Amino acid sequence: MIQRFRYKFIAISTAALLFVILTIVGSICTLTYYQSHQEIERVLTILVNNDGQIPRKGIRTTDNSQPQFSREGLHQYRYFAVLVDNKNQVTEVQDDHIATVTPQDARAMTDRLVRRKVHSGQLLYRGVNYAYKIRNKNGEKVIVFLDESLLMARTRSLMHTGLILGVIVLVLYTIVLTLYSRRAIRPIIEAEQRQKEFITNASHELKTPLTVISANNEMQEIINGENEWTTSTKQQVTRLTKLINNLVSLARMQEQPTLTMLPVNVSQIAGDVASSFKSVISTEQKQFNVQIDEGLVANADENTLRELLNILLDNANKYCDPQGEIDFTVSSSNHSKNIVITIANSYKDGKSLDAKKFFNRFYRVDESHTQGKKAGFGIGLSMAQYIVKQFKGKITAKYTNGKLAFIVTLKEVGK
């Protein structure tokens, strides 16, 4: 249990850091990508406003918050300009600032843009992305193409570096967390250990006075005969003994290492457990409906699975209404590769119950913690929940059609 908690602690902490890293790296990449496109837009605007030429005078922009460009700075960009007359014929190609585009390429790209009739955007030509901007001037057009490769390469490099650093940080954090996680959860381990020791020691200390009380009660019955007081004492001793045994069983169950999971015949085990309860339920004039599909196999521990079914059937019999019904169904799910075990009992007072609390230890329906027959669900269901978790299954409770039902789902093998 502690080991599973440790792994969960590591997984949650690592997931939290992963979320933070993705948020930071994603924000940086998004901002860098946005700034690159803004830079491309500003450079195109400057060039197209100057007929595709780098201006000889100072470069001014209307937005003072943006970085300013110098004439020398503009020479770092690879671009070319095309002049088009009012008949959409190319009259001039200015390709002094680019070496990879020929005049024929420039004309081909211009023809594609003229058909588009869009004044700005991107154009993919021979595997290279070009940003372009068109300016109308006296019926003619000035089109400036800017090679995005350099700018976007820097952006991709930054993104790639950010991702690599993020992965490195995540791996280092996970390694350090794994090495020191036991120290981090040491107080929880110690508290859990003290709790188990307390339960074990207390059970041994309580068994002695209970044995003495039981013996004294039997002596009173021999001397004075059985009466309502001795009967009540006997019932309470039995109840306390069962509670102590359950507490010890739960503590020992949690101390055990992970169960050895092997394919077991759930149908056969369920049939054996149902047979053992049939006479007990019939004696109390309750109807026992059993429906078990044959050949259902799941990975589990056979003895622990029997204990699980015994707990649930005992709980159903205990809290079933007088002359009510108990349903025990084991079937294969139609929608998934699961075995569904359903144990339900008639319980007319179940509408007001909170099914989510059934698996809490010592849960009781009423606030006064009375000792009546239906005062609470003890720790049996808590043990059942722990067993199902060991089987990597799921257990739920619900109240429907006047019946309280517990549903166990296990992974079916061989389906």
Side-chain angles (χ1 to χ4, degrees):
M1 180 179 178
I2 294 297
Q3 195 70 8
R4 187 165 59 250
F5 177 79
R6 180 189 174 198
Y7 292 149
K8 185 178 292 186
F9 170 73
I10 295 173
I12 293 174
S13 301
T14 304
L17 180 63
L18 177 62
F19 175 77
V20 173
I21 291 175
L22 290 177
T23 301
I24 294 175
V25 173
S27 300
I28 293 175
C29 292
T30 302
L31 181 61
T32 304
Y33 188 80
Y34 172 77
Q35 289 177 340
S36 297
H37 276 278
Q38 289 294 101
E39 182 179 347
I40 290 171
E41 178 65 22
R42 292 196 302 274
V43 171
L44 283 174
T45 301
I46 292 172
L47 294 174
V48 80
N49 288 338
N50 289 274
D51 298 332
Q53 299 292 330
I54 296 177
R56 296 181 179 277
K57 297 181 179 180
I59 301 172
R60 297 178 181 179
T61 59
T62 57
D63 190 353
N64 294 325
S65 64
Q66 299 292 348
Q68 303 298 313
F69 292 96
S70 64
R71 292 185 70 250
E72 291 298 327
L74 288 174
H75 283 279
Q76 68 178 308
Y77 300 102
R78 303 294 89 195
Y79 69 91
F80 64 95
V82 178
L83 304 182
V84 181
D85 61 19
N86 54 9
K87 296 181 180 180
N88 291 330
Q89 299 295 321
V90 175
T91 58
E92 183 181 354
V93 176
Q94 302 172 359
D95 56 358
D96 298 337
H97 295 277
I98 195 167
T100 57
V101 176
T102 64
Q104 290 77 14
D105 293 331
R107 287 183 170 84
M109 294 166 66
T110 302
D111 290 340
R112 289 172 58 180
L113 289 189
V114 170
R115 290 196 297 269
R116 282 188 182 183
K117 297 181 179 180
V118 179
H119 287 79
S120 64
Q122 290 180 313
L123 178 67
L124 179 64
Y125 186 78
R126 293 186 178 179
V128 180
N129 269 323
Y130 295 90
Y132 67 89
K133 198 173 186 68
I134 301 176
R135 173 179 171 235
N136 291 317
K137 181 182 178 182
N138 300 325
E140 298 181 347
K141 296 177 182 178
V142 178
I143 306 175
V144 178
F145 296 86
L146 178 64
D147 186 349
E148 294 184 344
S149 301
L150 181 62
L151 281 171
M152 299 315 297
R154 290 186 303 199
T155 302
R156 285 192 294 270
S157 176
L158 180 61
M159 294 168 63
H160 188 254
T161 303
L163 289 174
I164 291 177
L165 289 177
V167 171
I168 293 174
V169 170
L170 185 64
V171 171
L172 291 177
Y173 175 82
T174 304
I175 293 174
V176 173
L177 184 64
T178 302
L179 294 176
Y180 289 93
S181 59
R182 184 171 292 276
R183 181 179 299 180
I185 64 173
R186 182 176 296 169
I188 299 175
I189 296 175
E190 293 175 352
E192 183 75 13
Q193 187 63 33
R194 286 195 297 268
Q195 180 185 11
K196 293 175 183 177
E197 291 175 356
F198 171 78
I199 293 174
T200 304
N201 295 335
S203 65
H204 288 301
E205 293 296 328
L206 288 172
K207 282 181 179 180
T208 300
L210 283 176
T211 303
V212 174
I213 292 171
S214 179
N216 291 341
N217 190 63
E218 290 178 3
M219 185 61 67
Q220 286 290 331
E221 289 182 337
I222 294 173
I223 296 173
N224 300 322
E226 186 176 355
N227 55 52
E228 61 177 316
W229 309 113
T230 59
T231 301
S232 176
T233 301
K234 188 186 298 183
Q235 290 174 349
Q236 295 305 316
V237 169
T238 302
R239 186 173 184 277
L240 281 174
T241 302
K242 185 177 181 180
L243 176 60
I244 291 170
N245 291 335
N246 285 341
L247 285 171
V248 173
S249 297
L250 182 59
R252 288 177 178 173
M253 188 182 299
Q254 294 177 345
E255 289 175 356
Q256 292 175 354
T258 305
L259 295 174
T260 301
M261 309 290 283
L262 297 172
V264 297
N265 192 322
V266 178
S267 302
Q268 181 180 347
I269 296 173
D272 294 342
V273 175
S275 298
S276 66
F277 271 89
K278 189 171 296 183
S279 59
V280 177
I281 295 174
S282 300
T283 302
E284 298 183 9
Q285 297 181 343
K286 299 171 185 174
Q287 184 177 346
F288 191 27
N289 305 315
V290 180
Q291 184 178 350
I292 301 175
D293 292 350
E294 296 295 330
L296 300 180
V297 179
N299 280 326
D301 178 79
E302 182 175 344
N303 294 328
T304 311
L305 178 59
R306 288 181 185 274
E307 185 175 0
L308 169 65
L309 298 179
N310 277 311
I311 290 172
L312 295 178
L313 279 174
D314 180 67
N315 182 82
N317 184 44
K318 182 178 180 181
Y319 296 101
C320 183
D321 292 331
Q323 300 179 346
E325 290 186 359
I326 297 176
D327 300 328
F328 184 22
T329 305
V330 181
S331 61
S332 179
S333 174
N334 295 326
H335 307 292
S336 59
K337 298 179 180 179
N338 293 323
I339 298 173
V340 180
I341 303 172
T342 305
I343 299 177
N345 61 275
S346 303
Y347 194 22
K348 63 181 180 181
D349 297 328
K351 292 182 179 179
S352 60
L353 299 181
D354 186 356
K356 295 180 181 178
K357 297 181 179 179
F358 285 173
F359 303 103
N360 295 345
R361 299 181 190 179
F362 304 108
Y363 168 71
R364 296 186 181 279
V365 176
D366 60 342
E367 296 293 333
S368 60
H369 295 265
T370 59
Q371 301 300 321
K373 181 181 178 183
K374 298 179 183 178
F377 292 86
I379 63 170
L381 293 177
S382 179
M383 294 174 63
Q385 184 185 49
Y386 182 81
I387 291 172
V388 173
K389 285 183 178 179
Q390 290 288 91
F391 292 165
K392 302 186 185 303
K394 182 180 179 183
I395 182 170
T396 56
K398 68 176 182 178
Y399 183 80
T400 179
N401 298 326
K403 289 186 178 181
L404 179 62
F406 292 90
I407 304 167
V408 176
T409 304
L410 301 176
K411 191 73 174 179
E412 186 174 0
V413 176
K415 183 174 180 180

